[in-house]
């Protein structure tokens, strides 16, 4: 809701009330808040790519994975619906009552990512694999108490800063989704809310790239961190995480 709302405010005001930087900061801060709100209950994954990486590396039970992903998709869908409701009059005024996927009055990109005109599917796939790999590599580092871990309670802030730098450096091609739920949930909403099935065919059938590529990238980033960093910690280093057995995300 807060992330797509940041995009909506910038687009629907035609830049008068926001732009690329407010969107970047808005999305990053939304993630910070969400992790603070949900971290003590579920670990605050928010992202199927994170949950899959946690399951692959033994930090989340496989039986919980489909429940996590379903909840993440549902949350993204409802968040998109909230943005559409709050800005409904602005949507109608912006495009004279027509909800468009492409063109000068397009608004579908408020909710889901779409590729830049020059971007090929192969390049876009590599983009999403790399950005999500960096995301997970850094997340594992942030919560690794045997590394230079972030002080307890400030982990969400570090994740927010991570999202800012990823968006500022790798966001030009397709918006830096890095999250299948964040992309598919709102895309499903737009399909049923009036934009139609074009949301799945636009950008040379782009829709599957921000679903598949982040899942692969997330696992790749997690494995890179484990293979090149985590397993090389000295055995004399001690765990200082008081919630080691309670939270899935911090159970490193």
């Amino acid at each position: 809701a807060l992330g797509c709302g940041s995009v909506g405010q910038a687009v629907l005001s035609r830049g008068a009330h926001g732009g690329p930087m407010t969107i970047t900061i808005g999305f990053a801060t939304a993630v910070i808040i969400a992790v603070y709100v949900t971290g003590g209950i579920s670990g605050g994954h928010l992202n199927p790519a994170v949950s899959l990486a946690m399951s692959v590396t033994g930090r989340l039970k496989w039986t919980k994975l489909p429940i996590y992903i379903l909840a993440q998709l549902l949350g993204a869908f409802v968040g998109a619906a909230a943005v559409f409701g709050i800005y409904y009059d602005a949507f109608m005024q912006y495009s004279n009552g027509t909800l468009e996927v492409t063109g000068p009055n397009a608004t579908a990109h408020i909710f889901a990512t779409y590729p830049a005109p020059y971007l090929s599917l192969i390049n876009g796939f590599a983009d999403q694999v790399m950005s999500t790999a960096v995301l997970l590599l850094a997340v594992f580092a942030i919560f690794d108490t045997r590394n230079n871990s972030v002080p307890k309670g400030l982990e969400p802030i570090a994740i927010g800063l991570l999202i800012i730098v990823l968006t500022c450096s790798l966001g030009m091609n397709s918006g830096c989704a890095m999250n299948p739920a964040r992309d598919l949930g709102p895309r499903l909403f737009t399909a049923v809310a009036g934009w139609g099935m074009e949301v799945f065919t636009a950008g040379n059938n782009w829709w599957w790239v921000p679903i598949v590529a982040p899942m692969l990238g997330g696992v790749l980033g997690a494995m890179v961190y484990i293979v090149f960093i985590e397993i090389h910690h000295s055995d004399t280093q001690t765990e200082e995480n008081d919630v080691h057995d309670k939270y899935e995300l911090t159970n490193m």
Side-chain angles (χ1 to χ4, degrees), residues 17-247:
H17 296 288
M21 191 50 62
T22 62
I23 293 170
T24 297
I25 295 173
F27 250 112
T29 307
V31 171
I32 291 171
I33 294 171
V35 175
Y36 271 124
V37 170
T38 65
I41 300 299
S42 66
H45 295 184
L46 314 178
N47 183 342
V50 174
S51 299
L52 177 63
M54 294 296 170
S55 292
V56 170
T57 57
R59 292 156 168 81
L60 178 70
K61 294 180 180 178
W62 283 100
T63 54
K64 289 185 177 183
L65 180 61
I67 300 172
Y68 271 52
I69 293 177
L70 179 62
Q72 291 154 359
L73 283 170
L74 179 60
F77 184 95
V78 173
V83 171
F84 184 62
I86 290 296
Y87 283 130
Y88 179 80
D89 290 344
F91 275 101
M92 296 299 102
Q93 186 275 333
Y94 183 86
S95 56
N96 297 317
T98 303
L99 302 176
E100 300 179 12
V101 178
T102 58
N105 291 325
T107 48
H109 64 290
I110 290 174
F111 298 96
T113 63
Y114 293 86
Y118 61 80
L119 190 68
S120 67
L121 288 180
I122 294 175
N123 196 171
F125 193 92
D127 173 293
Q128 285 298 291
V129 169
M130 177 178 174
S131 58
T132 314
V134 175
L135 173 69
L136 264 295
L137 183 149
V139 165
F140 270 53
I142 289 169
F143 288 95
D144 185 354
T145 57
R146 294 192 296 171
N147 203 334
N148 292 327
S149 59
V150 176
K152 179 176 170 54
L154 295 181
E155 298 94 341
I157 303 296
I159 292 174
L161 293 173
L162 169 62
I163 292 173
I164 288 175
V165 72
L166 284 169
T167 306
C168 287
S169 60
L170 299 174
M172 185 178 75
N173 283 337
S174 60
C176 214
M178 303 183 294
N179 184 336
R182 167 264 175 278
D183 200 87
L184 180 59
R187 195 183 301 273
L188 289 171
F189 172 78
T190 55
V192 301
W195 282 266
M197 297 306 292
E198 187 182 355
V199 300
F200 292 105
T201 59
N204 194 22
N205 298 299
W206 166 261
W207 70 274
W208 64 272
V209 175
I211 297 174
V212 178
M215 300 295 268
L216 295 177
V219 173
L220 174 63
M223 296 308 299
V224 166
Y225 184 80
I226 290 174
V227 170
F228 289 97
I229 302 293
E230 186 176 284
I231 65 174
H232 301 287
H233 287 315
S234 170
D235 291 337
T236 60
Q237 292 173 298
T238 58
E239 291 281 356
E240 296 179 353
N241 188 352
D242 294 331
V243 291
H244 182 274
D245 294 322
K246 185 176 181 181
Y247 305 143

